[in-house]
Amino acid sequence: MSERTPEIIRDLREKHEYKQEIIAKYLGVVQQTYSNYEKGHTSLPLDYLVKLAKFYGVSADYLLGLTSFQKPFSEAYIGRLVRYLTSCCTQEWGL
């Protein structure tokens, strides 16, 4: 896990005004275990990372601190972006 993951999951929980007990119950752990994830004392297991990403509606990359974008890009958005960039390159470079 990233060094930032504990801070990110704590910030998301606080932003949504959830108590640690609620998130711990959702993950199927006791509150103290979840608290250790937020403090960075214990690494967050990958399956819990995925569950939290789905719970909060954010990407796993966001929880890992790899991007500042909370929401993953949709396939439709990526397709539009690729088509746009392709058309720009084709016009500019005569391809």
Side-chain angles (χ1 to χ4, degrees), residues 15-83:
K15 176 183 171 189
H16 289 86
E17 299 182 356
Y18 291 121
K19 294 189 178 291
Q20 285 185 343
E21 293 85 5
I22 298 297
I23 305 303
K25 186 173 182 177
Y26 173 73
L27 295 177
V29 298
V30 297
Q31 181 273 330
Q32 185 59 47
T33 300
Y34 182 76
S35 175
N36 285 332
Y37 297 149
E38 284 193 0
K39 291 177 182 176
H41 296 314
T42 306
S43 289
L44 183 67
L46 183 58
D47 55 329
Y48 293 169
L49 178 96
V50 172
K51 284 180 85 167
L52 288 175
K54 289 179 181 178
F55 182 80
Y56 289 118
V58 299
S59 69
D61 283 350
Y62 178 75
L63 292 182
L64 291 169
L66 300 175
T67 181
S68 59
F69 296 105
Q70 289 189 3
K71 304 280 184 188
F73 294 117
S74 70
E75 287 185 36
Y77 173 79
I78 292 171
R80 287 192 307 272
L81 182 60
V82 168
R83 284 190 298 279

Side-chain angles (χ1 to χ4, degrees), residues 5-22:
T5 299
E7 175 187 353
I8 292 168
I9 63 172
R10 185 193 68 237
D11 289 348
L12 278 171
R13 180 183 57 77
E14 290 175 348
K15 176 183 171 189
H16 289 86
E17 299 182 356
Y18 291 121
K19 294 189 178 291
Q20 285 185 343
E21 293 85 5
I22 298 297

